[in-house]
Structure formats: structure tokens, C-alpha cells
Amino acid sequence: MSQLNLKPIERVKTISKKDFIEKYVKTQTPVVVEKLTEDWPAYEKWNLNYIREIAGDKIVPLYDDRPVRAEDGFNQAHAEMKMKDYIDLLEKEPTNYRIFLYNIMQEVPTLKNDFKWPNIGLRLIKQLPMLFFGGENSKVFMHFDIDYSNILHFHFHGKKRCIIFPPEQSKYMYKVPHSLICREDIDFDNPDFEKFPALKQAQGYICDLNHGEMMYMPEGYWHYMKYLTPSFSMSLRALPRNPKFLLKAIYNVAIMRHFDNFMRKRKGQAWIDEKNERAITDTHKNLGIK
């Protein structure tokens, strides 16, 4: 991890709406706000025991770190389990199983009373927020979001490491064509610079999030997440302000993912293998790497 060109994300205890917009949103610079949630009921209540008590019988979708396969659907879960059994697993031993984009508040509406929509200057999308859970050392592969949103990422019950890169670093990231990910065999904790030399040129950020802290991640940022302890997070979103990113978001949702699904059905695993190969050849060709 120390080999990557990363600098710590700036931290502040609190911040005004004006300063947040001027210093971070307008400049598209990430920041961690440490005390934004201290007046939320969630700050005291949200831990794994609480989630087990109020949502223990809910069946939740689980994802692991297996590579994308042609037969997998878009965001198709790899397994299912009752929430209480999943939390028992998290507390018992390290596991690769994660909960990804789970709309728990639709099934447990009382959770909506535990957080507040921050008055921080972003026009947040007022849909029910999604939650993300992970066990010790589980990882979320490097990717960027399909809608290029500005993200307020809140973390609870434990510690999580975030490595992020601005969208202008995409040329170094070995992006897989027609997708939102880079090569899945890149280990961002210990990258292989002989196989992936372009990564040496990428410049990004790193932070460890603790309970109640919020990371602002600007629109279109690449992000890799590693749960250092069993824990969970919540994201609130705002549409991209940059018209270029808004157009890319529309393209991703309306065209790109449908084209990719069509090609998976038509060519099968050969399509996945072809894209992974192009992630290397296209990157090296564009950067003049031999």
C-alpha cells in the first residue's frame, strides 16, 4: 500500500456550508468531517447489535470478491442469509461476504429516524439511503459509481480504509472497457508494478474512517474500500454538477450497461476475457508503455 502515490485526505472536526462548498465541492477535493453525525441518534445507536435486533430476520443479499463472470447479472448477489446470521458470522471470523447497496430502510422504516439529511450545500437525492456491511479484511474492488454522484459516505461500528483516485487518473487505472471497474486482479494493498506499471503514475488519497465519520468523495472518483474491522457504512448522494459527468452518467445507465449485458449473453466468458486483456493493452498503448 505504501508503494502507491497516496496522500492523506484532509480532516476537519466540523465545517460550515459555505466552507464545504468553496473549499471542497467547487475544487472537487475530498475531505473527512469527523463530527457531522454527533447530533444524530445513529451516532449512539448504530452498531451491529442494534442492526441485529431490529433487522435480524430480514434476508440480505451477500457479495464476495470473486471475479466478474459472464453468467452473472448486473449487481447479482452471490448468496443470501438472514441479517442476524450474517452479523454472527462477521463477529465470529473474517469473511469475504459483504452487503452492497442494501435498502434496509425500506424494510425497517424506523431507521429513517436515526439520521438527518445534512444541510451542507449539496442537493442530496432524497431516496432512502443504501447501507454497506463488511467483515474484517473484506474488500470492495476499485470502481467508480455508475451515476458519477457526489457522495457523502458515513461509517459506523469500526474502521474502514478508503483509497480513492480522481477521475483524471483513469488513464493509469487499467479500466476495463464498457464497465465501471479496473482489473480485478490488482491488489491495491500491494500492487504489482511489474505487471501494472501505469499505477506508479497514479496520484490518489487515503483515509481510515472511524465510527460516525463522513468522507466526502467528489463525483466520478475511483474508490477501493477495505473493512479493517466488522462494520457498516451509509452513503448519501447528489447528482454530478459537471455537465460532462452528467452526460457520462446518462450514457452508463441508458446504454453502456445494456450493451455490456448483451455482449455477455452473445460472447460469454470470451467477452469478459477480451475486456480484461484490453484493460492492459489499451492502457499501455495510450501511455506509450512497452
Side-chain angles (χ1 to χ4, degrees), residues 86-102:
Y86 174 63
I87 291 177
D88 288 345
L89 177 62
L90 292 186
E91 295 180 332
K92 179 183 178 182
E93 61 191 17
T95 175
N96 288 331
Y97 277 131
R98 297 175 289 104
I99 298 177
F100 175 70
L101 286 176
Y102 179 47

Side-chain angles (χ1 to χ4, degrees), residues 269-280:
Q269 188 61 36
W271 173 244
I272 303 296
D273 296 341
E274 175 187 326
K275 292 198 303 173
N276 280 325
E277 179 63 25
R278 282 187 55 195
I280 293 180

Side-chain angles (χ1 to χ4, degrees), residues 41-158:
Y43 188 80
E44 299 293 337
K45 296 166 66 176
W46 280 19
N47 56 50
L48 291 175
N49 285 334
Y50 178 65
I51 300 297
R52 178 164 40 209
E53 289 173 7
I54 65 171
D57 289 329
K58 303 300 181 183
I59 303 297
V60 297
L62 301 176
Y63 301 81
D64 58 27
D65 56 0
R66 72 187 68 176
V68 171
R69 300 175 301 182
E71 60 267 27
D72 294 336
F74 187 79
N75 283 342
Q76 179 181 335
H78 299 139
E80 291 183 337
M81 190 180 293
K82 282 189 175 181
M83 176 66 88
K84 61 184 178 183
D85 295 330
Y86 174 63
I87 291 177
D88 288 345
L89 177 62
L90 292 186
E91 295 180 332
K92 179 183 178 182
E93 61 191 17
T95 175
N96 288 331
Y97 277 131
R98 297 175 289 104
I99 298 177
F100 175 70
L101 286 176
Y102 179 47
N103 194 345
I104 190 175
M105 295 186 191
Q106 190 170 30
E107 300 191 51
V108 188
T110 55
L111 283 170
K112 292 186 289 185
N113 301 322
D114 291 344
F115 78 96
K116 302 177 182 180
W117 293 95
N119 182 19
I120 202 169
L122 288 176
R123 187 175 297 175
L124 297 168
I125 302 171
K126 293 297 181 71
Q127 65 184 27
L128 294 179
M130 303 293 184
L131 266 64
F132 308 79
F133 292 73
E136 180 180 347
N137 290 327
S138 62
K139 303 173 183 179
V140 182
F141 54 78
M142 184 69 77
H143 69 287
F144 60 94
D145 288 354
I146 194 169
D147 59 0
Y148 282 81
S149 287
N150 291 275
I151 304 293
L152 303 182
H153 192 70
F154 300 85
H155 191 63
F156 297 95
H157 190 107

Side-chain angles (χ1 to χ4, degrees), residues 120-270:
I120 202 169
L122 288 176
R123 187 175 297 175
L124 297 168
I125 302 171
K126 293 297 181 71
Q127 65 184 27
L128 294 179
M130 303 293 184
L131 266 64
F132 308 79
F133 292 73
E136 180 180 347
N137 290 327
S138 62
K139 303 173 183 179
V140 182
F141 54 78
M142 184 69 77
H143 69 287
F144 60 94
D145 288 354
I146 194 169
D147 59 0
Y148 282 81
S149 287
N150 291 275
I151 304 293
L152 303 182
H153 192 70
F154 300 85
H155 191 63
F156 297 95
H157 190 107
K159 188 183 291 284
K160 184 181 198 178
R161 176 159 296 159
C162 308
I163 296 176
I164 65 176
F165 290 91
E168 59 266 24
Q169 301 297 304
S170 293
K171 57 189 174 182
Y172 307 122
M173 301 301 294
Y174 293 94
K175 180 184 179 300
V176 176
H178 310 292
S179 75
L180 312 171
I181 64 174
C182 70
R183 287 272 306 213
E184 293 169 288
D185 54 344
I186 297 175
D187 180 359
F188 280 91
D189 293 322
N190 186 28
D192 182 348
F193 288 142
E194 290 189 8
K195 185 175 182 180
F196 305 111
L199 288 175
K200 291 189 289 187
Q201 302 179 59
Q203 299 184 38
Y205 299 87
I206 186 171
C207 75
D208 287 353
L209 290 178
N210 302 297
H211 175 80
E213 294 181 342
M214 184 277 287
M215 176 185 68
Y216 166 60
M217 187 167 62
E219 52 202 57
Y221 264 57
W222 291 86
H223 45 289
Y224 163 86
M225 309 289 195
K226 181 177 181 179
Y227 292 86
L228 301 179
T229 68
S231 48
F232 62 101
S233 306
M234 178 184 77
S235 285
L236 303 180
R237 320 173 72 81
L239 291 176
R241 298 156 61 97
N242 186 327
K244 176 182 69 174
F245 289 151
L246 186 58
L247 289 174
K248 286 186 176 182
I250 294 170
Y251 169 79
N252 287 342
V253 172
I255 299 175
M256 184 272 290
R257 68 175 178 176
H258 298 293
F259 173 76
D260 188 56
N261 284 333
F262 169 77
M263 293 300 292
R264 288 191 196 192
K265 292 177 182 177
R266 182 182 177 189
K267 300 182 69 172
Q269 188 61 36

